[in-house]
């Protein structure tokens, strides 16, 4: 599991492993959730997206560049 810090350059990856966007970590909440500059939602500390999606193919993750 990757550890993210504020200012880390990250990429948002879709289900197939393609890069959707690139940005940086702007905030880490008290609960450990991660906010990225180029994405509307939050991510869990393990890099998975917080929102629940109906289809697993819609899920995205973040990873360090």
């Amino acid at each position: 599991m990757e550890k993210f810090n504020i200012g880390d350059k990250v990429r948002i990856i879709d289900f197939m492993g393609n890069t959707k966007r690139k940005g940086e970590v702007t905030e880490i909440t008290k609960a450990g959730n991660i906010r990225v500059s180029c994405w509307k939602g939050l991510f869990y500390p393990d890099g998975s997206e917080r929102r629940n999606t109906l289809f697993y193919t819609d899920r995205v993750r973040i990873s360090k560049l």
Side-chain angles (χ1 to χ4, degrees):
M1 184 167 96
E2 294 181 85
K3 179 154 175 48
F4 297 96
N5 297 311
I6 294 175
D8 285 348
K9 302 291 183 190
V10 295
R11 63 185 179 134
I12 298 176
I13 305 168
D14 66 2
F15 173 73
M16 297 298 289
N18 301 322
T19 301
K20 295 184 84 158
R21 295 182 188 170
K22 293 180 182 175
E24 68 178 43
V25 176
T26 57
E27 178 187 358
I28 298 177
T29 64
K30 289 181 181 178
N33 296 320
I34 301 164
R35 187 174 306 279
V36 178
S37 62
C38 62
W39 199 257
K40 187 177 181 180
L42 289 170
F43 294 89
Y44 285 120
D46 68 349
S48 61
E49 191 177 21
R50 273 195 75 207
R51 75 179 167 108
N52 294 326
T53 55
L54 182 60
F55 302 105
Y56 64 93
T57 55
D58 292 339
R59 296 182 186 146
V60 295
R61 299 183 52 79
I62 56 174
S63 71
K64 288 186 179 181
L65 283 176

